[in-house]
Amino acid sequence: MTEMFRAGDSDKLIVRNPATGETIATVRAYRPAEVAPLIEQAETARLDWAGRTAKERALLLRRWFDLVILRQEDMAQLITAESGKPLAEARGEVTYGAAFIEWFAEEGKRAYGETIPTFAPGKRVMTIRQPVGTCAAITPWNFPVAMITRKVAPALAAGCSIIVKPAEATPLSALFLEELAQEAGIPAAVFRVVPTTDPAAMGSLFCRHPLIRKLSFTGSTRVGKLLMAQAAGQVKRVSMELGGNAPFIVFDDADLDAAVEGVLASKFRNAGQTCVCANRILVQAGVYDDFVRRLSVAVNALPVGDGADPVTKIGPLINSDALDKVVRLVTGAQQAGARMETQAPALPATGHFHAPTVLSGVTQDMEIARSEIFGPVAPVIRFSNEAEGIRLANDTPYGLAAYLYARDVGRIWRAMEALEYGMVAVNDGILSTEVAPFGGIKESGVGREGSRHGLDEYLNIKYCMLGGINR
Ligand code: SIN
């Protein structure tokens, strides 16, 4: 057991392995009153940080990236131990997370302003882009590294300072990231990680502290709305990556083997615990039975177990509440007429495991099709024609990611345009990358992470007008 808690600290957070239930570490937990002075330090430190050249900040970020890559294996082991994610996925997450640091190290050097043709003789019009200020971030347990780097790297590259509250379940990877950032030479006060046992009070502090100018949150829509309401009190800038209810549409001209592969990648990644996981598999009537049969064969072959075991493809859910919710949704769907198409494998005796599952005969009105499942369960819904498929796909308050499989170019284009989502993947089950803007519409959030747009979230545009030119 790692003992990171020091005598005299005010509070402690116990970290458990969701595959075994064992305690793996105890870390210092901060109370909001202890974080308020750290916000003041971050505000002081950011003035020096913002005063450095973008190139200098980029150099330090690049060093941080190199260290994360160098320690990839240690970080992956930590991710698996505290989140339960299979080791191969944890290694992938480190590469994915580090890529945001590399990307924004470069992008920070291109925070260009502009000159605008003037509206009057003797006047000149231009814009400059300046760091937002001291920021706060609240990050989830399902990607304990990547969801931090995709907020922290653009913030630092832009010249902001940032304080991160990691998820209660996964503070270890966050603290390791912080340690490597300091080793790279990034000042401690500009990027700090503050685990807590009181997330609601910490969120409230971030929203009400006058020095915090921006809050970035990844998590549930319910909590996102609460934070937005609190942040409105000071009109703070917010970025919100919230829940999803992703449709995965298989049209009758799709390559079915490719579509099965796509569902495995999208639905079963991290045991179904990502906000872009396919949540409803919508399959056109002509290929429905064949598709359900093929998908069930593939899902029955997914090995379930401790993520530390190299053969594991499906690890545990994060905690017993998550498991109870998935069990309740599956039972409710079966009671409403859905059919279990997969066999129940023997599950490990400890931990919060759920069998990878395919349900056929699901309809749009069932709770399982209306809720974000966050588990390894694929509910398959039948639709008859293109218009009905799109209508069902859009019939949700969420609008994060959507997937579609088809060959007809006209149909692909029509569907891409008609889907009310922030992201659409065609003939592929994975769309996350540092080079593209990740984010949702409707109740899935506001703002974008990754790509050049991710930097804008941490910059203000200032319009400067220069008069008296002709005098
Ligand atoms: C998330 O689940 O919040 C992020 C998933 C991703 O970046 O792919």
Side-chain angles (χ1 to χ4, degrees), residues 96 100 140 142-143 146-147 150 218-219 241-242 269 273-277 374 400 430-433 438:
Y96 175 47
F100 288 103
N142 62 343
F143 286 86
M147 296 305 102
R150 83 180 183 191
T218 296
E241 297 292 353
L242 308 178
R269 176 179 176 221
Q273 301 173 106
T274 89
C275 54
V276 289
C277 274
F374 246 61
L400 191 57
I430 298 283
L431 45 57
S432 307
T433 160
F438 187 106

Side-chain angles (χ1 to χ4, degrees), residues 339-354:
R339 198 177 119 98
M340 172 79 68
E341 295 286 348
T342 36
Q343 289 138 21
L347 297 175
T350 60
H352 317 292
F353 290 91
H354 192 284

